[in-house]
Amino acid sequence: MRECYEGKLQLPDFQRGWVWDQDRIIDLLASISEGFPVGALMTLDASGEVSFAVRPVEGAPAPVKPLEAYLLDGQQRMTSLYQSTFSQMPVATQTAKKQPTKVHFYFDIQAALDPNVARSEAVIAVPEDRVIRENFGRDVKLDLSCEEYEFDALHFPIDRIFDENRWQISAAQWMARDPIARQEKWEMINRFAQEVVNNFTSYHVPVIKLGKDTSRAAVCLVFEKVNTGGKPLDAFELVTAMYASEEFHLRDDWKARRERLIAQKVLAKIEPVEFLQAISLLHTKERRNEAVAKGAEPPAISATRNSLLQVPLDAYKKLAGKVEAGYVAAAKFLHSLKIFNSRDLPYQTQLVPLAAILAELGSTWENDAVRQKLAKWYWCGVFGELYGSAVESRFALDIRDFAPWINGGAEPQTVQRASFEEKRLRTLRSRLSAAYKGVHALLMKSGAEDFKSGQPYVQTVFFDENVDIHHIFPEAWCKSEKIEPAIYNSIVNKTPLASATNRMLGGVAPSAYLGRLHKGNDSNPPIAADRLSAILKSHEIDEALLTSDNFTDFMDDRRSKLLAMIEAAMGKDVVRENILPMGREDDYYGEEELEEAA
């Protein structure tokens, strides 16, 4: 407590605010009063190379002595104890219903000494003025606003627990004025000091002390392991605290960059750690190139948490603008692939190497040959489904391999290892899949035009018309034909359409809604036969199969066309299989698979 008061023990600034409510504080005080363990604290020697911006434990004054240690684990307990036992100020906490409140904590001495009363019931929270009122504040239930009232009511102020001797001396003086009447209370005060107060003053808390040689990565790992009660700490918060020790406000810098980046809707979900990962890729690659030039052992290119913690502030300042430009270029590139919205982005994670590659390439990426290779790499990542897990190692390979590739070197590992199997199409049913979103984008990229308006899906149309992926053979019609959901919900039976167009199609057979499009109505002019044929063709749809409501042959035909589209995007053959036509679900799908899909 003294170290918190003096500032020798402080919180690293990545620690979140104090959040315990008064019931949790009461439980903590009750446990200590009975000598029960409340867990260990963890500190880090502040004299090592790991340096964080700090702040005092909440409620403590400005530091008067040099910092000696960071409190890594135990913030909630130490802050609760400091405010309730060491500070004379009311504890600024909250009720169980999360309403802010300021209270002082007291022991009801009689209840604390009664073995039949739970110790937590002997701890009470009293308002800031130390008066408990009832009847809507009109009546005083308990007044503890001065020491004599405390003695008379046998209520001990817990914020005097380490100054109990003076409180007891005042109690002795109070008793001397009426020794006979107050003898019983004096005896209880003495017993309380021995049985309860001594448990606080002699209490030992285990402290795990991390030495000054502890690495930044170890600090981050340790903190995440012990901080199980709240949101996991990420590397950005640690880096923020480290840069703050050099008087650089990373959080403010990131906030400004993020505001500029999310103006592009495809970047709306960008996370600060992802931005740091892109910086780390470029920084570690620079260090690797420098080592190679000197003939030294080259360090690894990396975007792991450890590497993020090793990015010095001068490297961040040097590369942040470059990476931001890389993300802006990434948005432009994605728009060219008809990916406009973060919701339709196949992999959020693939943005990291994409932005890093584009940051390194600069304006070179707009060269047609480079753009073609970039698109091939991107679609291989999407349809190879390579960015779902263990992505940091793939990031490093991407940034290592891409530049040599455009200069005549070998294909990147992502391109080499990507593989798409024909059977995968039947399992693509929701936008949770990167490949599902990839097909959606490829259809728009290949020139798909809206069934009703005939407009291609450029960015303005996409947002103005609320374009999304919808069924071609409507769901209601498929149900009426007893077709399994596992079949008709496949991406093969879906295509991008404006929301108004999808509503106009309704749940009727394709032949019926094609008739509506041909005929038109008061609000929709008729579409010429050859024009409608061209529109359907832009969606890789055979008009004759749609007109005849031939679902089985339609699915087989369109599957084949989608596979060809995917092959063209990846620049390699998909893995074909010898299977029965897609619409013949009884043979094509096993019974268990159908049940699972349904």
Side-chain angles (χ1 to χ4, degrees):
M1 295 298 174
R2 277 195 302 274
E3 289 176 358
C4 289
Y5 176 78
E6 295 168 350
K8 292 161 72 174
L9 179 64
Q10 296 188 58
L11 298 168
D13 204 33
F14 58 74
Q15 290 267 37
R16 295 176 180 85
W18 179 57
V19 296
W20 273 18
D21 60 37
Q22 65 184 37
D23 289 346
R24 295 190 73 178
I25 299 172
I26 287 172
D27 288 340
L28 176 66
L29 294 170
S31 294
I32 292 176
S33 75
E34 295 194 271
F36 296 159
V38 294
L41 305 179
M42 183 180 292
T43 64
L44 170 67
D45 190 329
S47 64
E49 66 168 274
V50 178
S51 178
F52 298 118
V54 292
R55 69 176 191 273
V57 167
E58 214 160 312
V64 295
K65 292 193 176 180
L67 175 71
E68 293 183 1
Y70 304 105
L71 179 62
L72 293 185
D73 185 36
Q75 175 197 6
Q76 305 295 332
R77 286 166 289 161
M78 284 297 291
T79 304
S80 297
L81 288 171
Y82 182 87
Q83 291 200 17
S84 61
T85 69
F86 204 84
S87 171
Q88 299 293 303
M89 300 297 293
V91 181
T93 179
Q94 56 188 10
T95 67
K97 295 183 178 180
K98 307 302 181 185
Q99 296 299 314
T101 184
K102 291 185 177 181
V103 296
H104 297 276
F105 291 97
Y106 276 81
F107 272 113
D108 179 334
I109 294 176
Q110 284 182 295
L113 296 175
D114 188 339
N116 297 315
V117 176
R119 186 57 58 85
S120 59
E121 294 179 13
V123 182
I124 63 171
V126 175
E128 186 176 3
D129 64 359
R130 300 181 189 261
V131 179
I132 297 178
R133 295 176 173 83
E134 57 186 6
N135 193 19
F136 300 102
R138 289 190 286 268
D139 301 328
V140 174
K141 180 181 179 182
L142 180 64
D143 188 344
L144 302 173
S145 58
C146 67
E147 281 188 329
E148 288 198 4
Y149 294 166
E150 293 171 349
F151 305 145
D152 194 53
L154 284 176
H155 275 62
F156 177 79
I158 296 178
D159 57 14
R160 301 288 297 279
I161 204 90
F162 296 110
D163 191 28
E164 189 271 340
N165 285 340
R166 292 192 183 185
W167 189 85
Q168 199 169 25
I169 289 170
S170 296
Q173 294 171 348
W174 162 79
M175 185 218 165
R177 294 199 292 272
D178 192 354
I180 297 175
R182 296 172 179 167
Q183 181 64 36
E184 185 178 352
K185 290 185 176 180
W186 174 246
E187 290 174 356
M188 294 183 74
I189 290 172
N190 274 326
R191 260 186 71 203
F192 174 78
Q194 294 169 10
E195 296 180 20
V196 179
V197 174
N198 283 352
N199 282 339
F200 278 88
T201 56
S202 63
Y203 193 84
H204 286 76
V205 181
V207 180
I208 301 166
K209 295 186 175 182
L210 302 182
K212 63 181 181 180
D213 296 328
T214 306
S215 69
R216 294 174 179 178
V219 172
C220 185
L221 180 63
V222 165
F223 191 85
E224 287 194 359
K225 293 298 184 184
V226 300
N227 187 36
T228 56
K231 176 187 172 186
L233 178 78
D234 62 39
F236 179 80
E237 293 170 290
L238 275 172
V239 175
T240 296
M242 289 188 291
Y243 288 176
S245 68
E246 299 182 57
E247 299 185 354
F248 180 80
H249 302 292
L250 177 60
R251 191 169 281 109
D252 293 341
D253 182 80
W254 165 246
K255 182 179 179 182
R257 294 185 191 280
R258 181 180 180 277
E259 286 299 314
R260 293 191 291 269
L261 290 174
I262 63 173
Q264 303 291 337
K265 293 185 179 180
V266 75
L267 303 179
K269 294 181 180 178
I270 186 173
E271 293 289 339
V273 168
E274 295 167 357
F275 191 80
L276 288 180
Q277 285 178 314
I279 287 177
S280 178
L281 288 172
L282 297 183
H283 171 63
T284 53
K285 186 177 182 183
E286 282 185 359
R287 290 180 57 216
R288 182 179 177 83
N289 291 341
E290 290 167 1
V292 170
K294 295 176 182 177
E297 181 68 24
I301 300 172
S302 178
T304 63
R305 177 178 56 192
N306 188 26
S307 68
L308 267 58
L309 300 177
Q310 303 303 323
V311 175
L313 178 57
D314 60 349
Y316 176 86
K317 289 179 176 178
K318 173 186 174 183
L319 295 170
K322 189 174 181 179
V323 169
E324 182 179 346
Y327 270 99
V328 172
K332 186 176 180 180
F333 168 73
L334 290 168
H335 290 167
S336 74
L337 301 185
K338 305 298 182 181
I339 301 170
F340 303 118
N341 199 327
S342 61
R343 181 171 179 257
D344 297 314
L345 188 64
Y347 282 118
Q348 178 72 26
T349 50
Q350 200 175 359
L351 268 178
V352 174
L354 176 61
I357 288 169
L358 291 171
E360 193 171 48
L361 290 176
S363 60
T364 305
W365 81 270
E366 299 198 48
N367 174 282
D368 183 64
V370 176
R371 186 192 287 262
Q372 293 291 336
K373 287 190 172 181
L374 190 65
K376 180 177 180 178
W377 164 82
Y378 186 80
W379 291 125
C380 281
V382 170
F383 290 107
E385 298 183 288
L386 297 175
Y387 290 89
S389 61
V391 290
E392 288 86 357
S393 58
R394 184 158 300 283
F395 294 170
L397 294 173
D398 289 333
I399 197 70
R400 182 198 71 183
D401 295 345
F402 195 86
W405 182 36
I406 64 174
N407 291 316
E411 289 182 334
Q413 295 264 346
T414 294
V415 175
Q416 292 181 34
R417 295 181 181 178
S419 175
F420 186 82
E421 296 186 8
E422 182 177 8
K423 65 182 180 181
R424 182 73 177 106
L425 276 179
R426 58 177 150 151
T427 62
L428 297 178
R429 303 185 189 94
S430 80
R431 65 175 64 251
L432 295 176
S433 163
Y436 178 100
K437 296 178 185 179
V439 173
H440 178 36
L442 275 184
L443 284 165
M444 292 190 290
K445 176 72 171 62
S446 67
E449 300 170 324
D450 190 68
F451 283 11
K452 185 175 74 168
S453 68
Q455 297 181 94
Y457 298 122
V458 295
Q459 187 174 1
T460 52
V461 171
F462 181 87
F463 288 110
D464 290 348
E465 302 299 329
N466 194 18
V467 174
D468 204 347
I469 197 157
H470 296 289
H471 291 85
I472 299 168
F473 277 76
E475 183 175 6
W477 182 88
C478 291
K479 287 180 178 179
S480 71
E481 296 295 314
K482 310 299 183 187
I483 299 171
E484 290 288 344
I487 308 297
Y488 69 70
N489 281 328
S490 162
I491 189 70
V492 179
N493 186 38
K494 293 180 181 177
T495 207
L497 296 170
S499 60
T501 301
N502 185 56
R503 288 194 300 272
M504 190 206 75
L505 301 186
V508 299
S511 58
Y513 70 65
L514 289 179
R516 293 175 186 169
L517 292 170
H518 275 306
K519 184 184 296 185
N521 55 36
D522 293 340
S523 57
N524 299 299
I527 302 176
D530 58 343
R531 179 67 182 120
L532 185 57
S533 296
I535 290 172
L536 293 174
K537 188 176 181 180
S538 73
H539 288 259
E540 307 294 345
I541 294 172
D542 185 316
E543 182 182 13
L545 297 175
L546 214 57
T547 303
S548 62
D549 299 328
N550 188 339
F551 180 80
T552 298
D553 289 348
F554 160 80
M555 293 292 280
D556 295 335
D557 178 74
R558 195 161 192 259
R559 182 186 71 240
S560 178
K561 290 174 178 174
L562 293 183
L563 288 172
M565 186 175 67
I566 292 169
E567 285 178 331
M570 296 178 68
K572 58 168 61 180
D573 293 339
V574 302
V575 180
R576 303 277 177 168
E577 59 180 354
N578 295 320
I579 58 173
L580 291 168
M582 191 165 186
R584 296 168 191 162
E585 61 272 11
D586 293 339
D587 296 317
Y588 187 68
Y589 290 87
E591 184 176 339
E592 291 182 4
E593 185 178 1
L594 284 169
E595 288 181 2
E596 181 182 351

